[in-house]
Amino acid sequence: MKTNHLYVLLFCLLLTLPGFGQEQRIGLVLSGGGATGLCHVGVLKALEENEIPIDYITGTSAGALVASMYASGYSPLQIEAYVLSEEFQLMTSGNIRKDQHFLLHEEESNGSMISFSFSKDSILRKSLPTNFNSSSYLDFEMLKNIGTVGASRNYNFDSLFIPFRCVASDIQNKKSIIFKDGHLNAAVRASMTFPFFIKPIRVNGVLLFDGGLYNNFPADVMYADFDPDFIIGSNVSYNAAPPDENSLISQLTNMLVAKTDFSLPCAEGIIIEPDTDVSTFSFSNVKQAIEDGYISTMNIIDSIKSQISRRVTKDELFARRVAFKKLIKPLTITSISTQTGDQELRYTRLSLIKSKKTETLTIDELEKRYFRLYATPQVGFIFPVIENKADGTHNLALKVRKSNEFKLDVGGHISSRPVNTGYLGLTYQTIGKLITKSHAESYFGKFYGSAKAEFTIEFPAVYPISIQSYFVLNRWDYFKSFATFFEDVQPSFLVQNEMYGGLKVNIPFGNTIKSSLDARIFGLEDSYYQTEKFQSTDTADVTRFEGFSGSWSFLQNSLNRKQFANSGHFIEFKARYVYGEELSIPGTTSFQNFIFRRNHSWVNIGLTYQSFVIDNDFFHLGLHGQAVFNSQSFFANYTATLLAMNEFSLVPDAKTYFLPEYRAPQFAAAGVNLVTTLRKNLDVRLDVYFYQPILRVIQTSSGSLIFTDYFDGETIMGSASIIYNTFIGPLRASLNYFPKQNDPVAFQISFGYTLFNERAIR
């Protein structure tokens, strides 16, 4: 009897030992670490290749992202393919794909270099930026990749392919928040919110930041929530060094970040510490990080195997993943709710789903509309989650933050030639049932000055339409000099003044195409000498032209920069009708001695095309061309006629010269843009064009005007530049070539954009 009691006691003791009478359960803990955290993908690859089971997984920050994808049924190879993809690079850089830009909501190109936004209730306190990177692409990708999985599993993280936990930081209460349920994409996004890098979000009313602030290695969460038999840790992080009295960064880091315990809370475990040179923000070195994680794991795989007896074959995992993915419901959006504080923004909802009929959105259609909405200047931030509905479809719930009402733009163009120009712009914008924008801007400088005021109203729709009223004053003050640096120049020989106002309707066709209908009235005044050898006592000719103009344009634009682009495509077709009355008053250098009056009407049709047909990291080849047809009749004299015509000026600096040889009623030009990128943002650029007038105007010795023969007067135009595209604008040294000028080569150094407001009719 005593022997039997002894056997029972021994059996009970054996039952209490880990792994006896049940399968050994394995937990995997992934630390934070930014780009370094992608070593965890290599760790997962090595573990699965060696049939090491993973029954629970926890992670912080980058570790939370990798862990959540694994918990959502993605294999290590699928995770590797994703983090090596263009989509992941866009996520980490804060950019979006070219086809996700919405041209209707992009500002017209202007001289702005720096923008400051502020609210009417606080100029400084709420106006300083809280993030350097946009999270628009990151947030949508996480909704698509893991948010749908979480919703399909009823927001229970224990019901995922692998039970999952992640942590975020509540900075108000100075504590970690552990996520075990809720919106999966929101939990992981909160865990990844590195301060000042991406904008924080609220979950359940609490503003949350990166989990690594208070717990960068959630082994304690693994132990407390899952109590596994064995824990594998993958750690690529470390505690900050003590604060340095000469380093502000080290002081801030120690104030914000608590020390993490990177040890395991139990004896049954092992820690992998990948040896890598990949730094926190080196997301371009993803492949190296994965390889380093894989090698470091393989170096100790025998030790791991010796402590874990259980194995899971690849076939078993594959079958489980297939079965799990069958449980995931495809995303079908049948309703959308949007909220800003306690208000619903009707405009944002109607921009995503049609209100007058039942509509079901797939993820692909939602993506187009989502980024179309995000491009709205009045929308500052959107965070999306999926809500299950009783009928099996989904509601897309958006938390929307408005942009600040005011925006101040500062910029211009600083040059070694005397064409320096400053730029200031002020915008006031609102959003509610409609969106509105009031904008005023000014260019100021000796060469160019302008004032512009416009008001835009936009109606909510899947494809919104905007109506814009505007008034513009322009002044160009040319002078006879190709001077470099600050050489003295002659008095002005040609001054153009424009005043026009009108109404424009903009209609989008897709995301990167828009069409515009424009009607305006205008008044032009050109003051000029008809000879280069004028005296200070001479009086200038004056030509005034007043009338009406209507135009229709079609624009597609996916260029990556507003000037000196090296990637993307551009095509613009514009047809314009002009009607007006000319009044020309002769000066002392005129061939005429009488006042000239005449009515003119003409049609102007223009096509401009640019496409970078070769576009890689180091070399870019663009095809660039322009064709113009103009039925304009002669004005009172040669100069007045040329001033009303289109100019060929695809080299931006050509706009700062008066070059008669590149003005004609009808012409075609074609060229190439050869760009070599020596390093990020540093380009060596060669732009060469062949210009062919189809019909050209010349002046006879008697002062009368005639058309030349067809295809007479061909020439070229070229520019060679070294350009560093700073975060506020291009810094460049350029050699421009205009072969028919007395000094055909013009050198200049400049900083900023050579951009001006639209001409009235030219």
Side-chain angles (χ1 to χ4, degrees):
M1 194 70 177
K2 290 181 180 180
T3 303
N4 291 338
H5 288 167
L6 180 60
Y7 288 154
V8 171
L9 180 59
L10 289 173
F11 181 74
C12 292
L13 288 172
L14 286 171
L15 287 176
T16 64
L17 295 176
F20 186 86
Q22 60 179 359
E23 288 189 333
Q24 193 179 19
R25 312 301 288 175
I26 311 302
L28 178 63
V29 181
L30 306 181
S31 75
T36 319
L38 298 175
C39 289
H40 302 319
V41 181
V43 172
L44 283 169
K45 280 180 63 179
L47 293 177
E48 277 211 0
E49 282 182 13
N50 287 274
E51 300 183 346
I52 303 298
I54 300 170
D55 301 297
Y56 314 103
I57 193 164
T58 63
T60 295
S61 195
L65 175 63
V66 174
S68 67
M69 293 190 72
Y70 191 75
S72 296
Y74 293 89
S75 71
L77 291 178
Q78 289 173 321
I79 300 173
E80 178 181 31
Y82 184 75
V83 299
L84 289 172
S85 69
E86 179 187 3
E87 285 80 4
F88 186 77
Q89 290 301 315
L90 290 170
M91 282 173 54
T92 56
S93 64
N95 295 317
I96 59 177
R97 294 199 314 267
K98 292 175 183 177
D99 63 344
Q100 291 169 333
H101 291 268
F102 189 37
L103 187 60
L104 183 73
H105 285 159
E106 291 186 3
E107 293 183 346
E108 294 181 5
S109 296
N110 56 43
S112 173
M113 298 170 70
I114 305 174
S115 294
F116 306 92
S117 64
F118 55 94
S119 299
K120 57 188 176 183
D121 60 341
S122 175
I123 293 180
L124 181 62
R125 186 171 63 88
K126 294 183 180 178
S127 301
L128 294 175
T130 59
N131 57 291
F132 297 114
N133 260 19
S134 168
S135 64
S136 59
Y137 197 81
L138 166 68
D139 293 339
F140 190 84
E141 283 290 292
M142 292 181 64
L143 176 83
K144 180 171 68 174
N145 293 330
I146 63 174
T148 52
V149 178
S152 292
R153 304 309 295 149
N154 294 316
Y155 313 107
N156 183 350
F157 295 178
D158 287 339
S159 297
L160 297 174
F161 178 71
I162 302 291
F164 165 73
R165 299 287 187 269
C166 68
V167 297
S169 298
D170 174 0
I171 62 171
Q172 180 180 0
N173 296 301
K174 304 293 188 297
K175 66 177 184 179
S176 285
I177 301 294
I178 301 170
F179 286 102
K180 60 180 68 178
D181 53 29
H183 296 288
L184 181 59
N185 62 308
V188 178
R189 168 64 163 79
S191 184
M192 295 170 58
T193 306
F194 195 88
F196 311 118
F197 191 65
I198 55 177
K199 189 177 287 291
I201 63 170
R202 289 186 183 273
V203 179
N204 300 324
V206 180
L207 190 68
L208 297 176
F209 283 86
D210 194 292
L213 294 181
Y214 302 142
N215 187 351
N216 212 13
F217 187 64
D220 57 334
V221 176
M222 171 65 72
Y223 190 75
D225 277 32
F226 297 123
D227 190 22
D229 301 313
F230 191 88
I231 297 177
I232 303 172
S234 177
N235 177 37
V236 293
S237 194
Y238 53 87
N239 287 314
D244 184 337
E245 62 271 20
N246 296 317
S247 172
L248 177 62
I249 298 299
S250 74
Q251 295 167 24
L252 288 173
T253 301
N254 277 270
M255 282 190 280
L256 292 172
V257 181
K259 290 190 180 298
T260 293
D261 182 0
F262 290 107
S263 64
L264 295 177
C266 59
E268 294 78 21
I270 190 170
I271 295 180
I272 304 165
E273 295 183 306
D275 182 14
T276 183
D277 293 327
V278 176
S279 61
T280 303
F281 296 104
S282 298
F283 289 101
S284 59
N285 294 326
V286 170
K287 189 172 184 179
Q288 185 62 53
I290 295 171
E291 184 176 344
D292 291 340
Y294 179 85
I295 292 172
S296 296
T297 306
M298 293 301 291
N299 286 339
I300 62 169
I301 196 66
D302 289 339
S303 178
I304 295 173
K305 284 182 173 181
S306 68
Q307 299 178 74
I308 298 175
S309 57
R310 181 169 147 242
R311 300 288 181 266
V312 177
T313 66
K314 294 178 182 178
D315 290 341
E316 288 179 79
L317 281 174
F318 179 79
R320 283 184 54 207
R321 286 194 174 104
V322 169
F324 178 78
K325 289 177 180 178
K326 288 180 179 179
L327 303 174
I328 308 304
K329 301 175 183 177
L331 185 63
T332 51
I333 302 294
T334 55
S335 64
I336 292 175
S337 59
T338 63
Q339 192 172 4
T340 298
D342 297 328
Q343 300 177 339
E344 182 188 24
L345 285 180
R346 184 173 181 268
Y347 177 90
T348 57
R349 178 169 53 83
L350 294 180
S351 297
L352 291 172
I353 198 163
K354 295 174 182 176
S355 61
K356 294 185 178 180
K357 69 174 187 177
T358 302
E359 187 178 23
T360 300
L361 297 181
T362 63
I363 190 67
D364 292 335
E365 185 58 37
L366 173 65
E367 182 174 343
K368 297 174 186 175
R369 300 183 187 185
Y370 179 86
F371 286 102
R372 203 177 297 156
L373 172 63
Y374 221 132
T376 307
Q378 290 81 353
V379 173
F381 178 71
I382 302 173
F383 188 78
V385 294
I386 299 167
E387 296 175 343
N388 294 330
K389 298 174 68 174
D391 61 0
T393 63
H394 304 94
N395 175 68
L396 180 67
L398 303 177
K399 293 183 180 179
V400 182
R401 297 178 198 167
K402 300 178 184 179
S403 295
N404 290 329
E405 297 97 329
F406 291 94
K407 182 165 73 79
L408 177 66
D409 293 301
V410 180
H413 181 237
I414 302 171
S415 174
S416 57
R417 289 183 53 239
V419 291
N420 299 293
T421 307
Y423 174 85
L424 283 175
L426 181 65
T427 302
Y428 174 70
Q429 54 195 18
T430 67
I431 184 169
K433 293 182 179 179
L434 307 171
I435 64 172
T436 67
K437 183 175 79 169
S438 303
H439 176 74
E441 67 181 24
S442 175
Y443 290 85
F444 44 92
K446 174 174 172 51
F447 166 67
Y448 177 65
S450 179
K452 179 179 181 180
E454 62 184 17
F455 176 76
T456 305
I457 185 170
E458 186 177 299
F459 303 93
V462 170
Y463 281 104
I465 296 175
S466 70
I467 299 175
Q468 181 183 77
S469 60
Y470 57 87
F471 179 77
V472 180
L473 295 171
N474 282 327
R475 177 182 175 87
W476 281 267
D477 190 346
Y478 296 88
F479 33 87
K480 188 58 185 175
S481 173
F482 281 37
T484 300
F485 296 101
F486 301 103
E487 185 178 306
D488 289 338
V489 298
Q490 294 182 10
S492 301
F493 76 96
L494 191 157
V495 176
Q496 292 186 287
N497 288 285
E498 297 184 342
M499 177 177 65
Y500 64 91
L503 195 69
K504 179 188 287 188
V505 178
N506 298 304
I507 305 168
F509 291 91
N511 281 14
T512 60
I513 300 173
K514 73 174 180 180
S515 178
S516 300
L517 295 170
D518 190 329
R520 65 181 56 163
I521 56 174
F522 62 85
L524 315 180
E525 181 178 282
D526 296 336
S527 177
Y528 51 91
Y529 296 100
Q530 295 198 53
T531 176
E532 296 179 5
K533 299 177 181 179
F534 57 88
Q535 305 296 321
S536 60
T537 55
D538 284 324
T539 59
D541 286 50
V542 175
T543 294
R544 299 187 180 97
F545 186 48
E546 298 177 350
F548 164 83
S549 176
S551 69
W552 173 74
S553 66
F554 173 92
L555 175 66
Q556 180 181 28
N557 186 5
S558 62
L559 296 177
N560 63 331
R561 300 186 184 114
K562 60 183 176 181
Q563 203 160 53
F564 307 113
N566 63 12
S567 178
H569 309 279
F570 177 95
I571 184 168
E572 182 178 34
F573 174 84
K574 179 177 283 190
R576 179 182 294 279
Y577 172 75
V578 178
Y579 174 82
E581 181 184 46
E582 174 198 358
L583 171 64
S584 287
I585 304 170
T588 56
T589 63
S590 176
F591 284 91
Q592 295 98 352
N593 57 6
F594 56 88
I595 295 176
F596 183 89
R597 289 182 183 271
R598 184 178 180 183
N599 289 333
H600 298 270
S601 65
W602 69 80
V603 173
N604 188 87
I605 299 173
L607 176 67
T608 304
Y609 173 82
Q610 185 175 24
S611 178
F612 284 90
V613 294
I614 299 177
D615 182 12
N616 57 49
D617 291 341
F618 305 106
F619 180 71
H620 316 267
L621 171 62
L623 304 179
H624 201 183
Q626 187 176 44
V628 169
F629 172 84
N630 191 331
S631 63
Q632 174 188 329
S633 53
F634 295 148
F635 275 54
N637 57 64
Y638 176 70
T639 305
T641 302
L642 285 189
L643 288 174
M645 286 182 179
N646 296 283
E647 62 178 351
F648 170 67
S649 56
L650 293 186
V651 170
D653 294 323
K655 294 181 174 66
T656 65
Y657 298 99
F658 179 63
L659 302 170
E661 66 268 31
Y662 297 109
R663 290 177 180 250
Q666 299 164 27
F667 66 81
V672 293
N673 313 120
L674 301 172
V675 186
T676 300
T677 301
L678 301 181
R679 53 176 298 180
K680 185 178 181 181
N681 296 327
L682 179 62
D683 291 342
V684 175
R685 185 181 186 100
L686 178 65
D687 302 301
V688 181
Y689 301 93
F690 176 77
Y691 169 77
Q692 176 64 70
I694 299 171
L695 196 62
R696 195 163 59 93
V697 176
I698 60 172
Q699 180 175 247
T700 66
S701 58
S702 63
S704 61
L705 305 182
I706 61 172
F707 288 115
T708 63
D709 293 334
Y710 285 103
F711 303 106
D712 174 67
E714 69 276 1
T715 185
I716 63 173
M717 179 185 289
S719 179
S721 304
I722 298 176
I723 305 173
Y724 181 66
N725 295 284
T726 73
F727 70 99
I728 59 175
L731 173 65
R732 64 188 172 99
S734 298
L735 278 174
N736 296 313
Y737 181 59
F738 310 118
K740 294 193 175 184
Q741 294 295 310
N742 292 332
D743 297 315
V745 178
F747 173 74
Q748 73 178 69
I749 298 173
S750 63
F751 180 50
Y753 297 101
T754 313
L755 293 168
F756 313 108
N757 278 327
E758 184 181 24
R759 294 275 196 163
I761 61 170
R762 300 171 173 89

